[in-house]
Amino acid sequence: MTTIRPATSTDLPRLHPVVERAYRGDSARQGWTHEADMLFDARTDLATLAALIDGDSRILIALDGGTILGCVNIADRGAGLAYLGLLCVDPQLQARGIGKQLIAAAEATARDSFAATRVEMTVIDRRVELIAWYERHGYARTGETRPFPVAVEPPLTMVVLAKPLFDQRQLP
């Protein structure tokens, strides 16, 4: 049974290896959402994760009992905008609906905690299959691109995707 809740500082040492396995290195290649063929450094660190659970940002974790299955970060950007990032599921557990559950929980948090009416995210432009997955979940390309946040060779570009949020209680 998967449960989703906000991460606490005591979760971070167990969460960090899940994030690294999902994004980088040979273990990431067991799944389909990795960046292991494009990027070779660490995806994040404990200090960065700790900063994401403070203030106007939350990391939501999916758990099966005490085992962390994956996570997503949702951050309040103000003016009705939330930013979704760091979505990952342990590579051996991908394609089981956990990512979809994490996105739904992040969108609900954005709506209910941040009064967001829109969520945006950025995805590496070369990740065509991942962009298509987000599009199937209601996200659309905005036409905007942004530079990758760190310099890499060859340079990477981020595609901006966005999705309007609706209050489910107001739908017929």
Side-chain angles (χ1 to χ4, degrees):
M1 172 81 178
T2 302
T3 58
I4 297 175
R5 67 165 172 79
T8 65
S9 59
T10 59
D11 296 316
L12 300 183
R14 292 182 303 127
L15 175 60
H16 183 247
V18 174
V19 172
E20 295 303 319
R21 276 195 310 272
Y23 281 99
R24 304 286 202 274
D26 288 336
S27 63
R29 290 183 178 89
Q30 295 175 22
W32 67 275
T33 62
H34 66 84
E35 301 165 345
D37 296 328
M38 293 177 274
L39 301 162
F40 307 101
D41 58 341
R43 171 62 172 82
T44 192
D45 57 38
L46 285 172
T48 301
L49 293 174
L52 292 176
I53 63 172
D54 292 330
D56 293 333
S57 178
R58 311 272 187 287
I59 295 178
L60 304 177
I61 55 174
L63 299 120
D64 182 359
T67 303
I68 296 176
L69 311 175
C71 71
V72 64
N73 174 241
I74 191 75
D76 185 7
R77 295 287 166 92
L81 178 65
Y83 182 84
L84 187 147
L86 200 66
L87 176 64
C88 69
V89 174
D90 191 295
Q92 295 181 350
L93 303 173
Q94 291 179 9
R96 296 183 186 182
I98 299 166
K100 183 177 178 177
Q101 292 175 51
L102 283 163
I103 286 178
E107 291 171 355
T109 298
R111 198 173 35 252
D112 300 341
S113 298
F114 305 146
T117 57
R118 190 169 70 101
V119 174
E120 77 172 19
M121 69 175 68
T122 55
V123 180
I124 297 171
D125 63 347
R126 296 180 193 168
R127 299 302 320 281
V128 177
E129 71 286 352
L130 186 56
I131 292 169
W133 187 85
Y134 283 120
E135 289 174 332
R136 289 191 302 274
H137 289 84
Y139 288 81
R141 295 171 195 240
T142 66
E144 180 185 355
T145 60
R146 297 178 186 159
F148 192 71
V150 295
V152 294
E153 286 299 328
L156 297 173
T157 301
M158 305 296 285
V159 173
V160 179
L161 304 171
K163 178 180 180 178
L165 296 178
F166 301 102
D167 187 338
Q168 301 298 320
R169 297 168 296 203
Q170 295 177 350
L171 295 176

